[in-house]
Amino acid sequence: MTEHVIVVDLGYGDAGKGGVVDWLCARSARSARSARSARSARPQDRKVTAVVRFNGGAQAAHHVAGPGGAVHAFAQFGSGTFTRGMRTFLSRFMLVDPLAMTAEADHLSKLKVPDPFGLVTVDRDALLTTPYHQAANRARETARRAARHGSCGMGIGETARYAADSPADAPRGGDCETRQILMRKLTLLRDRLAEETGFQRAGQPPPSVLADVYGAWARRVTLARDGHLAALLRQGPVVFEGAQGVLLDEWRGFHPYTTWSTTTFANALTLLAEAGARDGAIRLGVTRCYLTRHGPGPFVTEDTTLDLPEPHNGTGRWQGPFRTGHLDAVALRYAAQVAGGLDAVALTHLDVAWRHQGRLRLCREYTAGERRIQRLAPGPDRDLGHAERLTRMLLSARPVYDDAERIGAGDWPDAVAEIAGAPVTIRSHGPAAAHKTAAAHKTAAAHTTDARSRPPALAAPPR
Amino acid sequence: MGSGRWSTDVYEAAARLRGDASAFGYSDSGARRVHPALDPFGVTARESRDSAEHPASLAIAVLFDVTGSMGSVPRTLQAKLPQLLGLLLRKGYAQHPQILFGAIGDATVDRAPLQIGQFESDNRMDGDLERILLEGGGGGQKTESYELAMYFMARHTAIDCWKKRRKRGYLFIVGDEMAYPNVKPREVSAWIGDELAEPIPLTTLTAELTRSWDAYYILPAGAAYAGDGQVLGFWRGLLGQNVIELADLDAVCETIALTVGLGEDAIDLDAGLADLADVGSAAGPAVADALAGLGAARGPLAIGAGPARALEASPRTTDNDKPAGNIRL
């Protein structure tokens, strides 16, 4: 059995990847401990050694309830950080914001994680997100006004855009080791972006101050050498933690309401292949039993009358409102397809399904004008024209709900497994690791009877 | 997904990084257990690998006793050892050294009996050094858990110099006490995570360790048992001539570097001492004394059971005050 797991969100983000990653890490540490006392050494009992991030940047906010109940929004630390000794590797696909990382590390220290920086390794090629990118991002979004695309205001898009235009000039993790290089790149970046977007240089910290701080940061974290991931993979199983969601993918999402990164399994699979991993990995898709979207863009099943609890997400100044709606089988099937297929599904927020029995619907088809739509056809690779046509259609589409189909709270795993084309192997009834249960792959078909007949395990003791 | 929850400005970040940067950050922050980066538990292997940049890596490990009997020695080592890499490279004693730092406590009483960093070929190993928790514990029995560290080095390191070129790595243990006579399954299980069916006698373990490592014991001045005949006899029994008495702790890097240089046939002792004088080091006499016993040429390529062969002919100690259950050779 392969040991590595890649976790991606099958919707627009916020499905609960953080909780799933935390649970995978905590569980492996537990079974490694019990295997030790049982004197067995099965490979599946090996402790996960690291969480690898393979897309997005500091805008991620994967909420995990830690020991003692305090919640941390993981952004640039892997969501498994509450498991003792769990390391984080920020691969070259990550956009790294050193300043935000200091604030996050500070909070983790307060939650009794010892020396958080010591847990982080950063690829030297990973792009850096700076205050200049943020200033440019905000200047552009302000100019765009109502036509905002759902940016987080963290400069992620600017970072990706600048690097795409001038890859050699973009500041990267490894540049922090050499002050002259970093100074040159930062100065160039500030001057170009200020010119282009009209932000005030005077309102921004000078490159020299930034270079000092980035230098100090680079001495606290570890900058990866060649073969770092290969070495990690040899040490034990690794969890790849995706950010955002497949429906926001830069190419496969509903353009232009997308993000600047690849949110499918692709980056993680590339990293595994480069590291010479032989076994591949389990591709695990995460979805709630309903759908949410933070910010503007198509959302056919949105239902403003649904009043579901959402403790960690509110209306962001740059991001727009948090929206809630019903599970969209059409979009979920599309997500599973463009992600390249799934091996397993983690189904989250089942506690909401239990508490709101009968309120959550399942949309299996849309009407758009005269047409009835059950499937979204993926376009050719990297065809933004196709993605944009999908968006136009979705913006006018109306959901169809079959009144005869009543989904009981225990029916969701079966329904989702059928739509996603993969067994539901993890079910979550709450934010903490203790609220999650596993169903073995082989028994995936049989578990639903069990789920129907039993109420969810609520309020299990904290770990 | 998205938010700017952790957004901060550069001045706040600078203040945070400054507040965090004490030289011995981890110990002085009040930490009470091994830093996750140095935790040996569940580690398959610490690896010293060849790469494009370092095609012929040479593994060098320095583990030092951090228990109370060592006094201020561990702090001095924490401050001195970052110079080791530069010293090796500047003088060409080793072309591609990869250095690992670690610390040894007492598994019978300490919270961090074993701390093990990573092999690094640049100054990143300094970070491991800073993260070492200075225990200050230890029992009063003139014994510490060196055998647990030796077990880890024997079974949980993967070094290309040995694997690919049959060239042993260099292991330096800096301490002032004796090891326990057996590797205990309970301790290995608790601190490393392996299950052993039965205890491993120290002599057996040493034979295994010295297949892939040239192991040296350094007994520095300033430690409680500096110059102690029983301790020296114990280690000579295990490691033969590879036991070094170091009169001047400030010369620890020079001593280690020269030992490697000698082993690599990069220099002889006289040339090495001249090198030291060249770089303005006053450590020459101390190093000369410390290495007097090692001066004999020693092939860098050695196959076989290593210095543990000397066991049969090792000096017996008959001290009556020896703790019960101590090693009988």
Side-chain angles (χ1 to χ4, degrees):
Chain A
M1 186 190 115
T2 165
E3 304 164 282
H4 311 304
V5 182
I6 313 172
V7 181
V8 307
D9 183 312
L10 296 172
Y12 300 106
D14 301 306
K17 292 175 296 288
V20 169
V21 169
D22 170 57
W23 181 80
L24 287 169
C25 294
R27 183 188 62 159
S28 79
R30 253 197 326 275
S31 48
R33 272 197 302 275
S34 56
R36 194 154 54 84
S37 47
R39 304 208 166 208
S40 75
R42 297 173 302 164
Q44 61 268 41
D45 290 331
R46 290 170 69 200
K47 183 173 175 281
V48 172
T49 52
V51 174
V52 178
R53 288 287 307 274
F54 60 90
N55 67 354
Q59 92 288 24
H62 299 168
H63 293 91
V64 176
V71 172
H72 181 80
F74 286 99
Q76 299 187 84
F77 286 83
S79 295
T81 301
F82 287 137
T83 297
R84 178 184 164 198
M86 192 59 58
R87 309 185 71 140
T88 293
F89 175 45
L90 305 182
S91 72
R92 70 170 195 278
F93 295 117
M94 258 294 276
L95 311 180
V96 179
D97 182 335
L99 304 185
M101 194 187 284
T102 66
E104 189 179 355
D106 205 36
H107 189 248
L108 285 169
S109 298
K110 292 190 177 111
L111 298 182
K112 304 271 190 287
V113 174
D115 188 11
F117 284 122
L119 298 170
V120 177
T121 305
V122 181
D123 194 297
R124 286 188 158 78
D125 283 338
L127 291 168
L128 297 184
T129 297
T130 70
Y132 309 140
H133 294 108
Q134 282 152 23
N137 184 191
R138 288 169 190 195
R140 273 194 239 268
E141 285 280 303
T142 303
R144 222 180 263 147
R145 291 171 187 276
R148 283 177 193 169
H149 295 165
S151 156
C152 296
M154 293 286 286
I156 306 294
E158 285 299 333
T159 308
R161 184 206 320 267
Y162 186 82
D165 292 347
S166 5
D169 295 334
R172 293 173 196 268
D175 297 330
C176 299
E177 288 179 310
T178 319
R179 194 183 149 84
Q180 290 123 300
I181 296 177
L182 189 59
M183 277 293 290
R184 182 182 66 73
K185 287 189 171 185
L186 287 172
T187 309
L188 194 61
L189 173 75
R190 178 193 61 176
D191 294 349
R192 281 183 186 164
L193 289 184
E195 178 88 3
E196 206 176 311
T197 68
F199 71 74
Q200 293 298 314
R201 270 170 241 219
Q204 295 303 321
S208 58
V209 172
L210 266 188
D212 285 345
V213 173
Y214 287 0
W217 166 81
R219 287 189 291 276
R220 301 290 295 153
V221 299
T222 304
L223 296 175
R225 61 181 170 209
D226 285 352
H228 178 76
L229 182 60
L232 276 182
L233 296 178
R234 278 196 299 271
Q235 303 245 324
V238 160
V239 174
F240 290 82
E241 179 177 6
Q244 304 174 305
V246 170
L247 295 181
L248 292 170
D249 184 78
E250 57 183 332
W251 300 107
R252 296 301 194 173
F254 305 129
H255 186 77
Y257 302 96
T258 58
T259 180
W260 278 84
S261 76
T262 298
T263 57
T264 62
F265 298 107
N267 288 349
L269 293 171
T270 301
L271 291 170
L272 278 166
E274 286 170 357
R278 280 180 295 262
D279 317 340
I282 294 170
R283 297 166 301 169
L284 178 68
V286 186
T287 177
R288 296 189 188 202
C289 52
Y290 52 99
L291 191 59
T292 66
R293 175 161 201 160
H294 209 162
F299 191 172
V300 178
T301 57
E302 181 172 16
D303 181 348
T304 52
T305 68
L306 269 181
D307 186 19
L308 305 178
E310 191 59 37
H312 307 306
N313 288 294
T315 296
R317 178 171 171 202
W318 303 101
Q319 200 175 5
F322 191 81
R323 304 152 72 197
T324 310
H326 301 282
L327 192 69
D328 181 341
V330 183
L332 180 57
R333 193 172 283 127
Y334 174 80
Q337 196 177 353
V338 299
L342 305 173
D343 299 308
V345 175
L347 183 58
T348 66
H349 293 74
L350 284 164
D351 52 328
V352 174
W354 283 95
R355 257 184 260 120
H356 298 263
Q357 282 268 23
R359 292 278 292 123
L360 298 183
R361 314 294 302 272
L362 175 58
C363 167
R364 293 183 183 273
E365 118 182 292
Y366 313 145
T367 54
E370 302 296 299
R371 291 188 296 154
R372 298 178 79 84
I373 290 152
Q374 279 111 15
R375 278 182 177 277
L376 302 177
D381 195 24
R382 308 203 159 199
D383 183 350
L384 289 182
H386 178 89
E388 208 162 0
R389 284 190 292 281
L390 280 182
T391 304
R392 273 201 301 278
M393 185 278 286
L394 289 170
L395 286 172
S396 68
R398 294 286 164 267
V400 176
Y401 299 104
D402 179 356
D403 284 333
E405 183 179 43
R406 283 289 163 199
I407 308 265
D411 300 334
W412 285 105
D414 249 7
V416 167
E418 185 269 320
I419 298 162
V424 172
T425 59
I426 298 172
R427 284 179 258 156
S428 170
H429 294 95
H435 297 139
K436 293 175 174 59
T437 52
H441 285 246
K442 291 206 180 80
T443 59
H447 68 69
T448 43
T449 25
D450 164 51
R452 275 196 197 101
S453 58
R454 252 199 326 201
L458 283 173
R463 57 195 172 94
Chain B
M1 48 158 253
S3 78
R5 174 164 314 245
W6 303 118
S7 54
T8 184
D9 75 37
V10 68
Y11 303 101
E12 274 174 28
R16 284 196 196 96
L17 288 166
R18 261 198 306 276
D20 222 19
S22 114
F24 306 110
Y26 194 62
S27 279
D28 293 346
S29 71
R32 282 290 168 268
R33 65 181 192 195
V34 58
H35 188 285
L38 306 183
D39 191 348
F41 185 82
V43 169
T44 312
R46 292 292 198 231
E47 301 181 317
S48 162
R49 298 290 188 192
D50 295 347
S51 63
E53 216 179 326
H54 301 288
S57 59
L58 177 67
I60 299 173
V62 182
L63 309 181
F64 53 98
D65 183 341
V66 290
T67 59
S69 70
M70 292 288 279
S72 62
V73 170
R75 261 188 200 267
T76 310
L77 292 175
Q78 236 175 358
K80 286 273 166 199
L81 284 172
Q83 301 161 14
L84 177 58
L85 178 72
L87 207 55
L88 287 166
L89 293 176
R90 269 199 308 278
K91 281 298 170 185
Y93 295 165
Q95 299 301 319
H96 301 289
Q98 295 191 339
I99 304 181
L100 168 149
F101 291 128
I104 298 170
D106 187 334
T108 60
V109 292
D110 286 344
R111 278 164 301 221
L114 183 57
Q115 306 177 64
I116 294 278
Q118 305 271 353
F119 287 101
E120 302 285 6
S121 36
D122 54 34
N123 63 2
R124 263 166 291 162
M125 80 276 276
D126 300 354
D128 288 342
L129 209 49
E130 284 174 17
R131 290 175 195 137
I132 286 177
L133 181 64
L134 302 179
E135 276 266 15
Q141 302 203 306
K142 230 199 254 190
T143 37
E144 305 294 359
S145 299
Y146 299 107
E147 74 288 349
L148 197 63
M150 291 161 72
Y151 172 87
F152 185 94
M153 296 307 292
R155 303 228 174 140
H156 290 272
T157 55
I159 57 176
D160 276 354
C161 56
W162 170 251
K163 232 184 201 157
K164 296 193 175 164
R165 291 179 292 286
R166 279 296 178 252
K167 182 169 178 22
R168 292 200 285 257
Y170 292 85
L171 167 63
F172 296 89
I173 296 175
V174 186
D176 73 330
E177 296 178 78
M178 295 174 289
Y180 288 95
N182 289 298
V183 180
K184 300 184 213 51
R186 191 169 37 80
E187 290 175 3
V188 169
S189 165
W191 300 108
I192 297 176
D194 293 351
E195 297 304 327
L196 296 182
E198 52 190 24
I200 306 174
L202 186 59
T203 45
T204 312
L205 177 71
T206 306
E208 184 180 334
L209 172 72
T210 51
R211 266 203 295 277
S212 50
W213 291 94
D214 269 331
Y216 294 83
Y217 188 81
I218 298 181
L219 178 60
Y225 296 104
D228 185 284
Q230 189 190 8
V231 172
L232 286 168
F234 173 89
W235 288 104
R236 286 196 179 114
L238 278 180
L239 303 175
Q241 65 175 5
N242 290 3
V243 176
I244 299 168
E245 273 193 272
L246 182 60
D248 177 4
L249 189 61
D250 285 343
V252 65
C253 285
E254 288 82 357
T255 304
I256 291 174
L258 271 190
T259 305
V260 173
L262 291 171
E264 293 299 287
D265 273 349
I267 36 151
D268 59 29
L269 186 53
D270 290 342
L273 295 175
D275 278 354
L276 283 186
D278 279 355
V279 296
S281 168
V287 177
D289 284 352
L291 297 186
L294 291 179
R298 199 182 48 104
L301 205 91
I303 305 194
R309 279 183 311 241
L311 279 177
E312 270 65 46
S314 63
R316 291 291 74 81
T317 52
T318 51
D319 304 10
N320 291 327
D321 61 350
K322 192 155 64 173
N326 209 332
I327 191 163
R328 308 209 188 286
L329 298 169

